[in-house]
Amino acid sequence: MSETISDHQPDTKPIVSSAGTNRRLIITAVALSLALLVSFLFTRYSAYRTVQENFYGQALVPAKEAFDFHLMDQNGKPFRLSQLRGKAVLFCFGFTHCPNVCPTTLSDLAKVNRLLPEKDRQRVQILFVSVDPGRDQPDVIKKYVPYFDESFIGLTGTEAQIADAAKAYGAFYEIVRDSSQGPDNYSVNHSAFTYLITPSGTWKLIYNFDQLGDAKRMVHDIEQVLGE
Amino acid sequence: MRILFLLLSLYLPIEAVLSQSVPVKIERAWIQAVPPVSDATAAYMKITNLSSKPLKLTDASSPIATRIEPMITTRKEQAGKEVVGMQSVSELIIPAGNSLELKPGGDHLMVMGLLAHPNEGDSVKLTVRFAPGDQKLDLEIPVFKEEPK
């Protein structure tokens, strides 16, 4: 330490020319701004890392206010997302005639719900939004969604209501008709994301289909969101 | 010893089936339970081809459905988003000595026009057909509400 000080002492002697002082000032300024820039970037990066590392789901950076969709619930009553303020909400889009992806999604979410501690489960609502309003009337969806877990709520709506909700969450769907089949016998291709909304109504996380199988990590995310 | 065999034969249908007729080993076979309002579901299993020639899974049937088709799950980028879809295929190929995994979110047997809605704990008869030739494999697979792990 003392060596360092003595090394620098010659520089601080007042015999240095004014040009030298200027140069030193410039160097100091450059060094200072570099240090600032580095620390700024580091702070941003670590904030980003925190968001990424603490959550299993893909975090929206920055998180967005959740679009307040207006749909119809499985009892035929109007349903808005904002009714669920105070609860963490997990929801996905699908259709009841879906043989593979939707039953898997719903049974994975049922597992997540079951794994939640009782006190947390009361503060979580899982929803399934149909993108096939032609076939998925409230009575149909009521016989489908709660089958996987009694607490789940199935939603449907008019084509326009569903289109608005899907658009706001970046979901995609299209009806695929097979000319050899009857008019009511069609499939629907759709994106298979699950969205997590915080109790204060912020859309914070997205899960892709393959992530839902890890119920433990899903529960960990939900508990973090409930604790915020 | 006989009792041991009997116990083994009771146990085998669930864990693994070594077929007499078709050179395959079937593991983790199950069918997804769905509510009565649903007219379609899917069956899953891991099929290992024990022969030295490729096998093709061409068709399947069951008393609980009007039609069963081999399907692949497609994942396409559409406007920057991953869209999951299904496509019926005429066959699923199992290379010699290799396995075909039918699983949720992947290739599967789509079970359409459900005539019965078995519950978890039930088992369902399923006949799977392979080419070359018309090699039939009769299975009895368990029904689960959630993927067994």
Side-chain angles (χ1 to χ4, degrees), chain A residues 96-97 99-101 103-104 107 110-111 114 140 143-144 147 170 172 181 187 189-192 209-210 213, chain B residues 33 35 37-39 41-42 44 67 73 75 78 81-86 104-106 108 110 145-147:
Chain A
T96 67
H97 285 65
N100 178 9
V101 168
T104 305
S107 59
K111 212 176 281 178
R114 226 174 33 235
V140 172
K143 287 175 196 150
Y144 186 79
Y147 173 82
F172 173 90
Q181 305 295 322
S187 187
N189 287 347
H190 59 99
S191 52
F209 174 73
D210 305 303
Chain B
V37 71
S38 187
D39 66 353
T41 186
Y44 307 104
R67 203 154 50 104
T73 297
R75 286 156 182 253
Q78 202 129 359
K81 290 158 212 147
E82 189 189 60
V83 176
V84 183
M86 288 183 319
H108 58 281
M110 182 169 171
K145 220 169 154 176
E146 288 166 15
E147 183 179 7

mmCIF file of all heavy atoms in Angstrom, chain A residues 96-97 99-101 103-104 107 110-111 114 140 143-144 147 170 172 181 187 189-192 209-210 213, chain B residues 33 35 37-39 41-42 44 67 73 75 78 81-86 104-106 108 110 145-147:
data_model
loop_
_atom_site.group_PDB
_atom_site.id
_atom_site.type_symbol
_atom_site.label_atom_id
_atom_site.label_comp_id
_atom_site.label_asym_id
_atom_site.label_seq_id
_atom_site.Cartn_x
_atom_site.Cartn_y
_atom_site.Cartn_z
ATOM 1 N N THR A 96 -62.089 -27.501 -26.534
ATOM 2 C CA THR A 96 -62.420 -28.761 -25.854
ATOM 3 C C THR A 96 -62.272 -29.988 -26.747
ATOM 4 O O THR A 96 -62.156 -31.095 -26.252
ATOM 5 C CB THR A 96 -63.856 -28.745 -25.285
ATOM 6 O OG1 THR A 96 -64.768 -28.712 -26.378
ATOM 7 C CG2 THR A 96 -64.102 -27.569 -24.371
ATOM 8 N N HIS A 97 -62.276 -29.815 -28.071
ATOM 9 C CA HIS A 97 -62.117 -30.972 -28.956
ATOM 10 C C HIS A 97 -60.656 -31.341 -29.169
ATOM 11 O O HIS A 97 -60.348 -32.217 -29.965
ATOM 12 C CB HIS A 97 -62.773 -30.709 -30.315
ATOM 13 C CG HIS A 97 -64.266 -30.798 -30.269
ATOM 14 N ND1 HIS A 97 -65.030 -29.917 -29.538
ATOM 15 C CD2 HIS A 97 -65.129 -31.671 -30.844
ATOM 16 C CE1 HIS A 97 -66.305 -30.244 -29.677
ATOM 17 N NE2 HIS A 97 -66.390 -31.297 -30.456
ATOM 18 N N PRO A 99 -57.331 -33.082 -28.596
ATOM 19 C CA PRO A 99 -57.059 -34.372 -27.969
ATOM 20 C C PRO A 99 -55.728 -34.482 -27.219
ATOM 21 O O PRO A 99 -55.572 -35.347 -26.368
ATOM 22 C CB PRO A 99 -57.045 -35.330 -29.158
ATOM 23 C CG PRO A 99 -56.584 -34.486 -30.291
ATOM 24 C CD PRO A 99 -57.006 -33.081 -30.014
ATOM 25 N N ASN A 100 -54.789 -33.632 -27.549
ATOM 26 C CA ASN A 100 -53.425 -33.862 -27.087
ATOM 27 C C ASN A 100 -52.922 -32.712 -26.208
ATOM 28 O O ASN A 100 -52.703 -32.868 -25.008
ATOM 29 C CB ASN A 100 -52.547 -34.066 -28.338
ATOM 30 C CG ASN A 100 -51.081 -34.277 -28.035
ATOM 31 O OD1 ASN A 100 -50.676 -34.438 -26.906
ATOM 32 N ND2 ASN A 100 -50.274 -34.267 -29.063
ATOM 33 N N VAL A 101 -52.774 -31.543 -26.807
ATOM 34 C CA VAL A 101 -52.154 -30.420 -26.105
ATOM 35 C C VAL A 101 -53.025 -29.903 -24.942
ATOM 36 O O VAL A 101 -52.522 -29.705 -23.834
ATOM 37 C CB VAL A 101 -51.813 -29.281 -27.099
ATOM 38 C CG1 VAL A 101 -51.434 -28.007 -26.368
ATOM 39 C CG2 VAL A 101 -50.684 -29.724 -28.014
ATOM 40 N N PRO A 103 -55.721 -31.291 -23.080
ATOM 41 C CA PRO A 103 -55.831 -32.127 -21.879
ATOM 42 C C PRO A 103 -54.505 -32.205 -21.114
ATOM 43 O O PRO A 103 -54.491 -32.253 -19.888
ATOM 44 C CB PRO A 103 -56.207 -33.515 -22.418
ATOM 45 C CG PRO A 103 -56.755 -33.273 -23.772
ATOM 46 C CD PRO A 103 -56.072 -32.047 -24.298
ATOM 47 N N THR A 104 -53.401 -32.173 -21.854
ATOM 48 C CA THR A 104 -52.095 -32.218 -21.193
ATOM 49 C C THR A 104 -51.861 -30.933 -20.417
ATOM 50 O O THR A 104 -51.446 -30.963 -19.252
ATOM 51 C CB THR A 104 -50.984 -32.433 -22.248
ATOM 52 O OG1 THR A 104 -51.306 -33.610 -22.988
ATOM 53 C CG2 THR A 104 -49.632 -32.600 -21.600
ATOM 54 N N SER A 107 -54.172 -30.950 -17.374
ATOM 55 C CA SER A 107 -53.793 -31.888 -16.315
ATOM 56 C C SER A 107 -52.476 -31.470 -15.668
ATOM 57 O O SER A 107 -52.286 -31.667 -14.464
ATOM 58 C CB SER A 107 -53.782 -33.329 -16.807
ATOM 59 O OG SER A 107 -52.896 -33.496 -17.865
ATOM 60 N N ALA A 110 -53.513 -28.818 -13.289
ATOM 61 C CA ALA A 110 -54.202 -29.417 -12.141
ATOM 62 C C ALA A 110 -53.170 -29.897 -11.121
ATOM 63 O O ALA A 110 -53.346 -29.744 -9.909
ATOM 64 C CB ALA A 110 -55.085 -30.574 -12.601
ATOM 65 N N LYS A 111 -52.090 -30.444 -11.634
ATOM 66 C CA LYS A 111 -51.017 -30.924 -10.772
ATOM 67 C C LYS A 111 -50.381 -29.749 -10.018
ATOM 68 O O LYS A 111 -50.125 -29.832 -8.820
ATOM 69 C CB LYS A 111 -49.960 -31.622 -11.637
ATOM 70 C CG LYS A 111 -49.252 -32.752 -10.941
ATOM 71 C CD LYS A 111 -48.291 -33.478 -11.889
ATOM 72 C CE LYS A 111 -48.971 -34.449 -12.830
ATOM 73 N NZ LYS A 111 -48.034 -35.092 -13.768
ATOM 74 N N ARG A 114 -52.704 -28.584 -7.299
ATOM 75 C CA ARG A 114 -52.727 -29.518 -6.183
ATOM 76 C C ARG A 114 -51.487 -29.401 -5.310
ATOM 77 O O ARG A 114 -51.530 -29.634 -4.114
ATOM 78 C CB ARG A 114 -52.827 -30.937 -6.745
ATOM 79 C CG ARG A 114 -53.845 -31.783 -6.050
ATOM 80 C CD ARG A 114 -54.058 -33.125 -6.671
ATOM 81 N NE ARG A 114 -52.897 -33.720 -7.269
ATOM 82 C CZ ARG A 114 -52.845 -34.130 -8.532
ATOM 83 N NH1 ARG A 114 -53.886 -33.993 -9.312
ATOM 84 N NH2 ARG A 114 -51.750 -34.671 -9.017
ATOM 85 N N VAL A 140 -70.865 -26.680 -22.616
ATOM 86 C CA VAL A 140 -69.847 -27.640 -23.053
ATOM 87 C C VAL A 140 -68.570 -27.441 -22.239
ATOM 88 O O VAL A 140 -67.989 -28.386 -21.691
ATOM 89 C CB VAL A 140 -69.541 -27.472 -24.572
ATOM 90 C CG1 VAL A 140 -68.360 -28.332 -24.988
ATOM 91 C CG2 VAL A 140 -70.776 -27.811 -25.394
ATOM 92 N N LYS A 143 -68.596 -28.687 -18.724
ATOM 93 C CA LYS A 143 -68.424 -30.131 -18.549
ATOM 94 C C LYS A 143 -66.991 -30.559 -18.836
ATOM 95 O O LYS A 143 -66.631 -31.711 -18.627
ATOM 96 C CB LYS A 143 -69.383 -30.882 -19.486
ATOM 97 C CG LYS A 143 -70.827 -30.815 -19.022
ATOM 98 C CD LYS A 143 -71.724 -31.469 -20.055
ATOM 99 C CE LYS A 143 -73.184 -31.101 -19.842
ATOM 100 N NZ LYS A 143 -73.914 -31.103 -21.125
ATOM 101 N N TYR A 144 -66.217 -29.646 -19.387
ATOM 102 C CA TYR A 144 -64.855 -30.008 -19.782
ATOM 103 C C TYR A 144 -63.805 -29.508 -18.771
ATOM 104 O O TYR A 144 -63.083 -30.309 -18.185
ATOM 105 C CB TYR A 144 -64.573 -29.427 -21.174
ATOM 106 C CG TYR A 144 -63.245 -29.851 -21.745
ATOM 107 C CD1 TYR A 144 -63.083 -31.111 -22.320
ATOM 108 C CD2 TYR A 144 -62.144 -29.003 -21.716
ATOM 109 C CE1 TYR A 144 -61.864 -31.499 -22.845
ATOM 110 C CE2 TYR A 144 -60.926 -29.391 -22.241
ATOM 111 C CZ TYR A 144 -60.792 -30.637 -22.809
ATOM 112 O OH TYR A 144 -59.584 -31.023 -23.319
ATOM 113 N N TYR A 147 -63.509 -30.708 -15.075
ATOM 114 C CA TYR A 147 -63.189 -32.135 -15.008
ATOM 115 C C TYR A 147 -61.743 -32.338 -14.555
ATOM 116 O O TYR A 147 -61.440 -33.269 -13.825
ATOM 117 C CB TYR A 147 -63.411 -32.759 -16.382
ATOM 118 C CG TYR A 147 -62.952 -34.197 -16.515
ATOM 119 C CD1 TYR A 147 -63.751 -35.249 -16.077
ATOM 120 C CD2 TYR A 147 -61.716 -34.497 -17.072
ATOM 121 C CE1 TYR A 147 -63.332 -36.563 -16.206
ATOM 122 C CE2 TYR A 147 -61.288 -35.812 -17.201
ATOM 123 C CZ TYR A 147 -62.101 -36.848 -16.759
ATOM 124 O OH TYR A 147 -61.677 -38.137 -16.883
ATOM 125 N N GLY A 170 -50.893 -12.075 -27.440
ATOM 126 C CA GLY A 170 -50.035 -12.639 -28.479
ATOM 127 C C GLY A 170 -50.319 -14.094 -28.766
ATOM 128 O O GLY A 170 -49.431 -14.840 -29.163
ATOM 129 N N PHE A 172 -52.220 -17.161 -30.878
ATOM 130 C CA PHE A 172 -52.616 -17.358 -32.271
ATOM 131 C C PHE A 172 -53.487 -18.591 -32.380
ATOM 132 O O PHE A 172 -53.280 -19.567 -31.669
ATOM 133 C CB PHE A 172 -51.356 -17.523 -33.124
ATOM 134 C CG PHE A 172 -51.651 -17.894 -34.552
ATOM 135 C CD1 PHE A 172 -51.842 -16.911 -35.505
ATOM 136 C CD2 PHE A 172 -51.759 -19.231 -34.923
ATOM 137 C CE1 PHE A 172 -52.142 -17.255 -36.825
ATOM 138 C CE2 PHE A 172 -52.055 -19.578 -36.240
ATOM 139 C CZ PHE A 172 -52.240 -18.582 -37.179
ATOM 140 N N GLN A 181 -64.350 -34.374 -43.871
ATOM 141 C CA GLN A 181 -65.100 -34.474 -42.620
ATOM 142 C C GLN A 181 -66.317 -33.538 -42.641
ATOM 143 O O GLN A 181 -66.404 -32.663 -43.483
ATOM 144 C CB GLN A 181 -64.205 -34.091 -41.434
ATOM 145 C CG GLN A 181 -62.910 -34.886 -41.340
ATOM 146 C CD GLN A 181 -63.153 -36.369 -41.066
ATOM 147 O OE1 GLN A 181 -64.050 -36.723 -40.319
ATOM 148 N NE2 GLN A 181 -62.368 -37.221 -41.698
ATOM 149 N N SER A 187 -60.323 -29.146 -36.739
ATOM 150 C CA SER A 187 -59.325 -29.003 -35.686
ATOM 151 C C SER A 187 -58.930 -27.534 -35.585
ATOM 152 O O SER A 187 -59.243 -26.736 -36.473
ATOM 153 C CB SER A 187 -58.114 -29.868 -35.993
ATOM 154 O OG SER A 187 -57.234 -29.839 -34.897
ATOM 155 N N ASN A 189 -55.555 -25.177 -34.822
ATOM 156 C CA ASN A 189 -54.138 -25.017 -34.479
ATOM 157 C C ASN A 189 -54.014 -23.783 -33.597
ATOM 158 O O ASN A 189 -54.647 -22.763 -33.867
ATOM 159 C CB ASN A 189 -53.308 -24.801 -35.748
ATOM 160 C CG ASN A 189 -53.155 -26.081 -36.554
ATOM 161 O OD1 ASN A 189 -53.459 -27.176 -36.075
ATOM 162 N ND2 ASN A 189 -52.677 -25.933 -37.775
ATOM 163 N N HIS A 190 -53.235 -23.889 -32.579
ATOM 164 C CA HIS A 190 -53.140 -22.729 -31.690
ATOM 165 C C HIS A 190 -51.798 -22.671 -30.980
ATOM 166 O O HIS A 190 -51.131 -23.687 -30.832
ATOM 167 C CB HIS A 190 -54.280 -22.749 -30.663
ATOM 168 C CG HIS A 190 -54.309 -23.973 -29.788
ATOM 169 N ND1 HIS A 190 -53.803 -23.981 -28.513
ATOM 170 C CD2 HIS A 190 -54.760 -25.227 -30.020
ATOM 171 C CE1 HIS A 190 -53.973 -25.191 -27.997
ATOM 172 N NE2 HIS A 190 -54.539 -25.978 -28.898
ATOM 173 N N SER A 191 -51.425 -21.454 -30.556
ATOM 174 C CA SER A 191 -50.225 -21.316 -29.738
ATOM 175 C C SER A 191 -50.580 -21.893 -28.373
ATOM 176 O O SER A 191 -51.746 -21.890 -27.977
ATOM 177 C CB SER A 191 -49.793 -19.856 -29.637
ATOM 178 O OG SER A 191 -50.858 -19.047 -29.223
ATOM 179 N N ALA A 192 -49.597 -22.416 -27.668
ATOM 180 C CA ALA A 192 -49.918 -23.140 -26.429
ATOM 181 C C ALA A 192 -49.151 -22.558 -25.250
ATOM 182 O O ALA A 192 -48.413 -23.253 -24.574
ATOM 183 C CB ALA A 192 -49.606 -24.623 -26.608
ATOM 184 N N PHE A 209 -45.528 -24.618 -23.589
ATOM 185 C CA PHE A 209 -46.181 -25.890 -23.309
ATOM 186 C C PHE A 209 -45.286 -26.877 -22.544
ATOM 187 O O PHE A 209 -45.726 -27.515 -21.589
ATOM 188 C CB PHE A 209 -46.639 -26.481 -24.652
ATOM 189 C CG PHE A 209 -47.199 -27.857 -24.553
ATOM 190 C CD1 PHE A 209 -48.442 -28.062 -23.991
ATOM 191 C CD2 PHE A 209 -46.477 -28.943 -25.012
ATOM 192 C CE1 PHE A 209 -48.968 -29.331 -23.895
ATOM 193 C CE2 PHE A 209 -46.987 -30.212 -24.924
ATOM 194 C CZ PHE A 209 -48.234 -30.404 -24.360
ATOM 195 N N ASP A 210 -44.028 -26.967 -22.957
ATOM 196 C CA ASP A 210 -43.137 -27.973 -22.363
ATOM 197 C C ASP A 210 -42.765 -27.662 -20.918
ATOM 198 O O ASP A 210 -42.342 -28.540 -20.181
ATOM 199 C CB ASP A 210 -41.854 -28.085 -23.185
ATOM 200 C CG ASP A 210 -42.159 -28.377 -24.643
ATOM 201 O OD1 ASP A 210 -42.819 -29.391 -24.905
ATOM 202 O OD2 ASP A 210 -41.761 -27.579 -25.511
ATOM 203 N N GLY A 213 -44.884 -29.124 -17.314
ATOM 204 C CA GLY A 213 -44.699 -30.423 -16.673
ATOM 205 C C GLY A 213 -43.938 -30.345 -15.356
ATOM 206 O O GLY A 213 -44.058 -31.237 -14.526
ATOM 207 N N ALA B 33 -57.537 -39.762 -19.879
ATOM 208 C CA ALA B 33 -58.960 -39.696 -19.513
ATOM 209 C C ALA B 33 -59.489 -38.314 -19.869
ATOM 210 O O ALA B 33 -58.835 -37.305 -19.604
ATOM 211 C CB ALA B 33 -59.127 -39.951 -18.022
ATOM 212 N N PRO B 35 -63.382 -35.890 -20.137
ATOM 213 C CA PRO B 35 -64.775 -35.906 -19.688
ATOM 214 C C PRO B 35 -65.718 -36.338 -20.818
ATOM 215 O O PRO B 35 -65.374 -36.240 -21.996
ATOM 216 C CB PRO B 35 -65.026 -34.459 -19.278
ATOM 217 C CG PRO B 35 -64.026 -33.663 -20.031
ATOM 218 C CD PRO B 35 -62.824 -34.533 -20.176
ATOM 219 N N VAL B 37 -68.056 -34.966 -22.307
ATOM 220 C CA VAL B 37 -68.380 -33.954 -23.307
ATOM 221 C C VAL B 37 -67.342 -33.953 -24.443
ATOM 222 O O VAL B 37 -67.577 -33.452 -25.534
ATOM 223 C CB VAL B 37 -68.479 -32.553 -22.647
ATOM 224 C CG1 VAL B 37 -67.122 -32.031 -22.227
ATOM 225 C CG2 VAL B 37 -69.184 -31.559 -23.548
ATOM 226 N N SER B 38 -66.212 -34.551 -24.169
ATOM 227 C CA SER B 38 -65.128 -34.555 -25.139
ATOM 228 C C SER B 38 -65.259 -35.758 -26.076
ATOM 229 O O SER B 38 -65.598 -36.852 -25.640
ATOM 230 C CB SER B 38 -63.822 -34.626 -24.364
ATOM 231 O OG SER B 38 -62.755 -34.468 -25.230
ATOM 232 N N ASP B 39 -65.001 -35.555 -27.360
ATOM 233 C CA ASP B 39 -65.154 -36.680 -28.286
ATOM 234 C C ASP B 39 -63.819 -37.221 -28.779
ATOM 235 O O ASP B 39 -63.774 -38.072 -29.654
ATOM 236 C CB ASP B 39 -66.053 -36.298 -29.467
ATOM 237 C CG ASP B 39 -65.420 -35.235 -30.338
ATOM 238 O OD1 ASP B 39 -64.354 -34.708 -29.964
ATOM 239 O OD2 ASP B 39 -65.981 -34.925 -31.405
ATOM 240 N N THR B 41 -59.491 -38.083 -27.657
ATOM 241 C CA THR B 41 -58.406 -38.129 -26.687
ATOM 242 C C THR B 41 -57.164 -38.664 -27.402
ATOM 243 O O THR B 41 -57.148 -38.735 -28.634
ATOM 244 C CB THR B 41 -58.788 -38.958 -25.432
ATOM 245 O OG1 THR B 41 -57.737 -38.852 -24.477
ATOM 246 C CG2 THR B 41 -59.012 -40.431 -25.758
ATOM 247 N N ALA B 42 -56.152 -39.029 -26.627
ATOM 248 C CA ALA B 42 -54.933 -39.524 -27.255
ATOM 249 C C ALA B 42 -54.359 -40.674 -26.439
ATOM 250 O O ALA B 42 -54.540 -40.737 -25.227
ATOM 251 C CB ALA B 42 -53.912 -38.398 -27.372
ATOM 252 N N TYR B 44 -50.760 -42.907 -25.672
ATOM 253 C CA TYR B 44 -49.315 -42.709 -25.694
ATOM 254 C C TYR B 44 -48.585 -43.988 -25.290
ATOM 255 O O TYR B 44 -49.104 -44.776 -24.495
ATOM 256 C CB TYR B 44 -48.920 -41.601 -24.709
ATOM 257 C CG TYR B 44 -49.671 -40.305 -24.903
ATOM 258 C CD1 TYR B 44 -50.700 -39.930 -24.034
ATOM 259 C CD2 TYR B 44 -49.344 -39.456 -25.954
ATOM 260 C CE1 TYR B 44 -51.378 -38.730 -24.214
ATOM 261 C CE2 TYR B 44 -50.018 -38.255 -26.139
ATOM 262 C CZ TYR B 44 -51.036 -37.895 -25.264
ATOM 263 O OH TYR B 44 -51.709 -36.720 -25.442
ATOM 264 N N ARG B 67 -62.565 -44.191 -34.563
ATOM 265 C CA ARG B 67 -61.400 -44.072 -35.425
ATOM 266 C C ARG B 67 -60.167 -43.705 -34.588
ATOM 267 O O ARG B 67 -60.263 -42.904 -33.655
ATOM 268 C CB ARG B 67 -61.661 -42.947 -36.438
ATOM 269 C CG ARG B 67 -60.871 -43.013 -37.714
ATOM 270 C CD ARG B 67 -61.647 -42.296 -38.834
ATOM 271 N NE ARG B 67 -62.082 -40.965 -38.422
ATOM 272 C CZ ARG B 67 -61.499 -39.829 -38.827
ATOM 273 N NH1 ARG B 67 -60.468 -39.842 -39.620
ATOM 274 N NH2 ARG B 67 -61.971 -38.669 -38.437
ATOM 275 N N THR B 73 -47.349 -33.961 -33.993
ATOM 276 C CA THR B 73 -47.617 -32.610 -33.529
ATOM 277 C C THR B 73 -46.649 -31.691 -34.251
ATOM 278 O O THR B 73 -45.448 -31.945 -34.272
ATOM 279 C CB THR B 73 -47.432 -32.524 -32.009
ATOM 280 O OG1 THR B 73 -48.398 -33.387 -31.408
ATOM 281 C CG2 THR B 73 -47.665 -31.114 -31.493
ATOM 282 N N ARG B 75 -44.972 -27.950 -34.842
ATOM 283 C CA ARG B 75 -44.696 -26.685 -34.150
ATOM 284 C C ARG B 75 -44.129 -25.735 -35.175
ATOM 285 O O ARG B 75 -43.024 -25.927 -35.660
ATOM 286 C CB ARG B 75 -43.699 -26.906 -33.009
ATOM 287 C CG ARG B 75 -44.350 -27.610 -31.827
ATOM 288 C CD ARG B 75 -43.315 -28.330 -31.003
ATOM 289 N NE ARG B 75 -43.971 -29.025 -29.915
ATOM 290 C CZ ARG B 75 -43.924 -28.635 -28.639
ATOM 291 N NH1 ARG B 75 -43.240 -27.570 -28.306
ATOM 292 N NH2 ARG B 75 -44.549 -29.316 -27.713
ATOM 293 N N GLN B 78 -45.345 -18.793 -36.453
ATOM 294 C CA GLN B 78 -46.322 -18.011 -37.199
ATOM 295 C C GLN B 78 -46.332 -16.615 -36.588
ATOM 296 O O GLN B 78 -46.665 -16.468 -35.419
ATOM 297 C CB GLN B 78 -47.705 -18.658 -37.088
ATOM 298 C CG GLN B 78 -48.633 -18.264 -38.189
ATOM 299 C CD GLN B 78 -49.256 -19.503 -38.850
ATOM 300 O OE1 GLN B 78 -48.975 -20.622 -38.491
ATOM 301 N NE2 GLN B 78 -50.102 -19.286 -39.840
ATOM 302 N N LYS B 81 -44.541 -16.467 -33.381
ATOM 303 C CA LYS B 81 -45.019 -17.269 -32.248
ATOM 304 C C LYS B 81 -45.021 -18.736 -32.618
ATOM 305 O O LYS B 81 -45.271 -19.075 -33.768
ATOM 306 C CB LYS B 81 -46.449 -16.864 -31.884
ATOM 307 C CG LYS B 81 -46.553 -15.508 -31.272
ATOM 308 C CD LYS B 81 -47.953 -14.971 -31.451
ATOM 309 C CE LYS B 81 -47.900 -13.463 -31.587
ATOM 310 N NZ LYS B 81 -48.940 -12.981 -32.477
ATOM 311 N N GLU B 82 -44.811 -19.560 -31.618
ATOM 312 C CA GLU B 82 -44.858 -20.982 -31.870
ATOM 313 C C GLU B 82 -46.311 -21.448 -31.850
ATOM 314 O O GLU B 82 -47.009 -21.236 -30.875
ATOM 315 C CB GLU B 82 -44.059 -21.744 -30.815
ATOM 316 C CG GLU B 82 -43.913 -23.209 -31.182
ATOM 317 C CD GLU B 82 -43.317 -24.041 -30.075
ATOM 318 O OE1 GLU B 82 -43.928 -24.094 -28.977
ATOM 319 O OE2 GLU B 82 -42.258 -24.622 -30.291
ATOM 320 N N VAL B 83 -46.741 -22.038 -32.941
ATOM 321 C CA VAL B 83 -48.111 -22.526 -33.025
ATOM 322 C C VAL B 83 -48.075 -24.049 -33.074
ATOM 323 O O VAL B 83 -47.358 -24.645 -33.865
ATOM 324 C CB VAL B 83 -48.820 -21.971 -34.275
ATOM 325 C CG1 VAL B 83 -50.215 -22.560 -34.406
ATOM 326 C CG2 VAL B 83 -48.889 -20.458 -34.195
ATOM 327 N N VAL B 84 -48.852 -24.652 -32.180
ATOM 328 C CA VAL B 84 -48.893 -26.103 -32.110
ATOM 329 C C VAL B 84 -50.080 -26.594 -32.926
ATOM 330 O O VAL B 84 -51.188 -26.092 -32.775
ATOM 331 C CB VAL B 84 -49.035 -26.558 -30.640
ATOM 332 C CG1 VAL B 84 -49.002 -28.077 -30.540
ATOM 333 C CG2 VAL B 84 -47.924 -25.967 -29.787
ATOM 334 N N GLY B 85 -49.844 -27.544 -33.778
ATOM 335 C CA GLY B 85 -50.925 -28.111 -34.571
ATOM 336 C C GLY B 85 -50.751 -29.617 -34.653
ATOM 337 O O GLY B 85 -49.768 -30.166 -34.160
ATOM 338 N N MET B 86 -51.731 -30.268 -35.267
ATOM 339 C CA MET B 86 -51.633 -31.716 -35.423
ATOM 340 C C MET B 86 -51.770 -32.054 -36.879
ATOM 341 O O MET B 86 -52.432 -31.360 -37.623
ATOM 342 C CB MET B 86 -52.768 -32.404 -34.693
ATOM 343 C CG MET B 86 -52.655 -32.372 -33.214
ATOM 344 S SD MET B 86 -54.016 -33.280 -32.511
ATOM 345 C CE MET B 86 -55.378 -32.800 -33.529
ATOM 346 N N PRO B 104 -47.364 -36.806 -24.763
ATOM 347 C CA PRO B 104 -48.121 -35.556 -24.795
ATOM 348 C C PRO B 104 -47.284 -34.439 -25.428
ATOM 349 O O PRO B 104 -46.116 -34.277 -25.088
ATOM 350 C CB PRO B 104 -48.387 -35.255 -23.320
ATOM 351 C CG PRO B 104 -48.360 -36.586 -22.655
ATOM 352 C CD PRO B 104 -47.324 -37.376 -23.407
ATOM 353 N N GLY B 105 -47.884 -33.735 -26.340
ATOM 354 C CA GLY B 105 -47.175 -32.656 -27.004
ATOM 355 C C GLY B 105 -46.303 -33.131 -28.148
ATOM 356 O O GLY B 105 -45.604 -32.350 -28.766
ATOM 357 N N GLY B 106 -46.331 -34.426 -28.413
ATOM 358 C CA GLY B 106 -45.530 -34.968 -29.504
ATOM 359 C C GLY B 106 -46.362 -35.905 -30.366
ATOM 360 O O GLY B 106 -47.585 -35.769 -30.448
ATOM 361 N N HIS B 108 -48.536 -38.970 -31.418
ATOM 362 C CA HIS B 108 -49.507 -39.681 -30.591
ATOM 363 C C HIS B 108 -50.498 -40.444 -31.453
ATOM 364 O O HIS B 108 -50.524 -40.282 -32.668
ATOM 365 C CB HIS B 108 -50.247 -38.707 -29.662
ATOM 366 C CG HIS B 108 -50.981 -37.607 -30.387
ATOM 367 N ND1 HIS B 108 -50.332 -36.499 -30.891
ATOM 368 C CD2 HIS B 108 -52.286 -37.451 -30.689
ATOM 369 C CE1 HIS B 108 -51.221 -35.710 -31.471
ATOM 370 N NE2 HIS B 108 -52.414 -36.263 -31.377
ATOM 371 N N MET B 110 -54.240 -40.453 -32.097
ATOM 372 C CA MET B 110 -55.440 -39.665 -31.806
ATOM 373 C C MET B 110 -56.648 -40.593 -31.833
ATOM 374 O O MET B 110 -56.876 -41.312 -32.795
ATOM 375 C CB MET B 110 -55.619 -38.548 -32.821
ATOM 376 C CG MET B 110 -56.831 -37.691 -32.518
ATOM 377 S SD MET B 110 -56.858 -36.205 -33.527
ATOM 378 C CE MET B 110 -58.478 -35.565 -33.170
ATOM 379 N N LYS B 145 -55.601 -39.755 -15.791
ATOM 380 C CA LYS B 145 -56.025 -38.371 -15.961
ATOM 381 C C LYS B 145 -54.808 -37.469 -16.179
ATOM 382 O O LYS B 145 -54.891 -36.430 -16.799
ATOM 383 C CB LYS B 145 -56.765 -37.925 -14.691
ATOM 384 C CG LYS B 145 -57.966 -37.067 -14.972
ATOM 385 C CD LYS B 145 -58.796 -36.899 -13.722
ATOM 386 C CE LYS B 145 -59.570 -35.603 -13.800
ATOM 387 N NZ LYS B 145 -60.466 -35.443 -12.655
ATOM 388 N N GLU B 146 -53.694 -37.899 -15.600
ATOM 389 C CA GLU B 146 -52.460 -37.130 -15.749
ATOM 390 C C GLU B 146 -51.345 -38.063 -16.190
ATOM 391 O O GLU B 146 -51.341 -39.235 -15.800
ATOM 392 C CB GLU B 146 -52.079 -36.469 -14.420
ATOM 393 C CG GLU B 146 -53.002 -35.324 -14.081
ATOM 394 C CD GLU B 146 -52.880 -34.855 -12.643
ATOM 395 O OE1 GLU B 146 -51.895 -35.212 -11.971
ATOM 396 O OE2 GLU B 146 -53.778 -34.139 -12.191
ATOM 397 N N GLU B 147 -50.427 -37.536 -16.947
ATOM 398 C CA GLU B 147 -49.316 -38.345 -17.444
ATOM 399 C C GLU B 147 -48.602 -39.028 -16.285
ATOM 400 O O GLU B 147 -48.145 -38.367 -15.360
ATOM 401 C CB GLU B 147 -48.328 -37.448 -18.196
ATOM 402 C CG GLU B 147 -47.182 -38.229 -18.795
ATOM 403 C CD GLU B 147 -46.193 -37.358 -19.577
ATOM 404 O OE1 GLU B 147 -46.321 -36.120 -19.543
ATOM 405 O OE2 GLU B 147 -45.309 -37.936 -20.217
#
